Amino acid sequence: MSVLIFTDNPGVQEVKLVAEELRRRGLKVRAMAPWDFSLPNMPNLDADVVYAPSNMLHRGSTYELTHRLLILRELEKVATVINPVESMLQYSKEQLSMRLAKLGLPHPSTIATENVEEAYAFAYALLEKEKEVVLKPTCGARGVGVTKLSGIRRRDDLLQFLVWYTREHAQGVYYLQEYIPNLGYDVRCLVIDDNVVGRERRFNQTDFRYNVAVGGSAEACTDPIYDDLSIAVADATGLKICGVDILPGEDGKPYVLEANCYPGYKALMEATGIPVHERIADYLLSLLR
Ligand SMILES: Nc1ncnc2c1ncn2[C@@H]1O[C@H](COP(=O)(O)OP(=O)(O)O)[C@@H](O)[C@H]1O
Ligand SMILES: [Mg+2]
C-alpha cells in the first residue's frame, strides 16, 4: 500500500511529520510536486491515496492553476485524493460565504465583488453606522492581507484605499465583511473526516487578527461547544481535512469566519499536545482499508 504526497511545498514541517508517521506504519510514501509531472503522459504512480496538503490551486498563475488541476483530476482517476479535488477547486472565502448563507449558518455580513463602487457602497454603509469593515484576500491564509477599515470616511480616500488594496492583496476581487466586536479570541477547530480532532483558542492583545502567524498566541480549548458547527461547515465545503475558524461575538453568537483548505497545525499541536500528524495518518490509512 502506498501514499503519494502531492504538494508544491514539500519542505513544510507538518507535511514531513505525516510522511514520517506513514513510513513508521510501514507504508510506501513518496512526494511529488506539480513540476514532477509532464503532461499529457501521466507516470504510473502505484498510489492508493494521494495526500495533497497544499493550497496549490490558490497561489501561482492561472496557467499553473489549470495545469495543476489537470494533474489532480488525473490523480483522482487512479486514487483517492485528500482533500477531494472538487473541494479544493471550490475553496475560497466567498464560496464559503455563499454556502453558509444557503445553510443559514452564522457568518458576518459579507460582500464579494469585482466592482469597486459596490465595494465602496458596502463599506460606506457599515462605516456610517459606526461599524468597522474587514477586507480579506478571498483565498488567503494566516492573516496575511486581512485588514480593518475604520478611520476612512471620504469617498475619494476610501476608493483610493480600495484600489490600493486590490493591487496589493485582493487580485481584483473585493471581499469585505462586517467587523464583529468579539470576546478577544477565536476558536480554531481542526476537522478530519467529520470529527473534531483538536481545538485551540487564539488571541492577540495588539492585533485584531488572532492568527498565530501574525503574532497571536494559542492555548488548548477543551470545550466542544463549536464542534457541531465546525463539522457542519466542513461538510458544507466537502473538505475532509480542514481548519474551521469561529469567532464568538460580543452579542453571544458564534460567527464562522472561514474553513481552511490546508490548515497548518503546528501551533495547535504545540498548544494542545495532540499529535495531529498521527490523526491525519489514521485517516489516510482508513482510506486504504
Ligand atoms: N469579520 C471579522 N470580525 C472580527 N475579526 C475578524 C473578522 N474576520 C477576520 N477576523 C480576524 O482576523 C483573523 C483572520 O481572518 P480569517 O478570515 O480567518 O483569514 P485568514 O485566512 O487570513 O486566517 C481571524 O482569525 C480573526 O481574528
Ligand atoms: Mg483564519
Side-chain angles (χ1 to χ4, degrees):
M1 288 196 290
S2 79
V3 174
L4 171 68
I5 298 183
F6 180 51
T7 174
D8 58 337
N9 213 352
V12 172
Q13 184 63 15
E14 284 109 317
V15 176
K16 286 187 183 158
L17 284 175
V18 173
E20 278 163 21
E21 182 61 26
L22 290 168
R23 286 196 185 103
R24 208 179 57 74
R25 297 186 192 194
L27 286 160
K28 234 169 70 195
V29 181
R30 64 196 281 216
M32 290 177 82
W35 44 91
D36 294 323
F37 291 83
S38 299
L39 299 179
N41 300 320
M42 287 288 284
N44 186 6
L45 290 166
D46 182 32
D48 307 286
V49 166
V50 175
Y51 176 44
S54 158
N55 288 341
M56 72 174 83
L57 295 182
H58 303 103
R59 50 178 173 233
S61 72
T62 315
Y63 298 164
E64 282 165 327
L65 188 160
T66 315
H67 176 68
R68 292 167 181 188
L69 183 59
L70 277 173
I71 297 169
L72 281 163
R73 292 267 194 242
E74 288 301 311
L75 290 172
E76 212 168 34
K77 287 180 189 162
V78 295
T80 306
V81 180
I82 297 301
N83 279 307
V85 179
E86 195 55 32
S87 70
M88 286 171 79
L89 182 63
Q90 294 288 317
Y91 167 77
S92 76
K93 287 188 170 62
E94 64 175 320
Q95 188 253 4
L96 183 72
S97 297
M98 291 174 73
R99 292 265 159 105
L100 293 174
K102 276 209 186 87
L103 294 170
L105 293 173
H107 186 52
S109 163
T110 300
I111 189 175
T113 180
E114 289 186 36
N115 186 316
V116 70
E117 285 287 351
E118 290 286 330
Y120 166 79
F122 180 89
Y124 187 77
L126 286 172
L127 293 167
E128 236 196 359
K129 286 189 230 158
E130 300 299 320
K131 296 188 172 176
E132 295 178 293
V133 182
V134 180
L135 288 104
K136 307 182 192 183
T138 55
C139 295
R142 303 164 74 87
V144 177
V146 176
T147 306
K148 192 162 69 164
L149 254 181
S150 24
I152 307 179
R153 285 292 181 284
R154 279 192 44 222
R155 178 183 160 83
D156 285 358
D157 292 342
L158 196 45
L159 284 170
Q160 194 66 42
F161 178 84
L162 288 168
V163 168
W164 169 82
Y165 184 83
T166 197
R167 210 180 295 133
E168 194 71 14
H169 295 293
Q171 297 184 34
V173 181
Y174 295 101
Y175 183 88
L176 282 80
Q177 192 164 75
E178 175 179 356
Y179 172 78
I180 303 295
N182 57 77
L183 303 179
Y185 62 87
D186 70 2
V187 177
R188 154 68 60 91
C189 292
L190 187 72
V191 183
I192 301 181
D193 193 27
D194 286 342
N195 291 298
V196 173
V197 303
R199 314 172 200 90
E200 64 185 326
R201 196 179 285 116
R202 306 177 305 181
F203 49 95
N204 190 334
Q205 312 286 5
T206 56
D207 198 308
F208 81 99
R209 300 166 299 171
Y210 300 142
N211 307 71
V212 174
V214 291
S217 305
E219 62 185 25
C221 170
T222 49
D223 189 347
I225 183 171
Y226 302 128
D227 284 11
D228 288 347
L229 179 57
S230 301
I231 292 165
V233 171
D235 211 44
T237 60
L239 295 166
K240 291 297 186 183
I241 301 179
C242 74
V244 180
D245 293 346
I246 294 171
L247 184 72
E250 246 176 29
D251 57 8
K253 289 190 218 151
Y255 291 85
V256 177
L257 294 183
E258 64 156 348
N260 283 273
C261 176
Y262 173 63
Y265 58 79
K266 204 165 137 268
L268 190 137
M269 260 175 91
E270 281 167 11
T272 63
I274 295 167
V276 175
H277 59 297
E278 291 180 18
R279 300 290 89 82
I280 293 175
D282 291 341
Y283 173 53
L284 298 176
L285 267 165
S286 79
L287 298 169
L288 291 168
R289 289 198 188 102

